[in-house]
Amino acid sequence: MRINLERRDNETRRWHIVAVFDCGTYAMWAARALSEGDGWEWRLVDNRHPDGPIVIIYKGGVAS
């Protein structure tokens, strides 16, 4: 029931878990800062909701 921070590999296009957070705010801050700094795609997968996971993708510091 945690929030996974994942990075997409530009060559294989696969997602890799980089960190796990208990707090969504810290996860969003990390994803935004990392996407601004390195240009990779980062996503958050929040599995705490009963209807299914919530996924937020960051690229260039912008969430989509």
Side-chain angles (χ1 to χ4, degrees), residues 1-60:
M1 302 283 285
R2 294 184 178 177
I3 302 160
N4 295 336
L5 175 62
E6 302 175 350
R7 184 191 67 141
R8 178 176 272 189
D9 187 331
N10 287 339
E11 293 179 10
T12 64
R13 305 300 292 169
R14 292 187 177 173
W15 292 99
H16 301 282
I17 296 175
V18 175
V20 179
F21 292 85
D22 291 324
C23 178
T25 303
Y26 298 137
M28 289 187 292
W29 289 346
R32 182 176 177 195
L34 290 167
S35 71
E36 285 176 350
D38 65 7
W40 293 75
E41 280 186 81
W42 293 82
R43 79 174 176 184
L44 298 174
V45 181
D46 186 348
N47 295 306
R48 298 179 295 173
H49 302 280
D51 296 334
I54 294 175
V55 178
I56 302 171
I57 297 176
Y58 285 85
K59 186 166 185 166

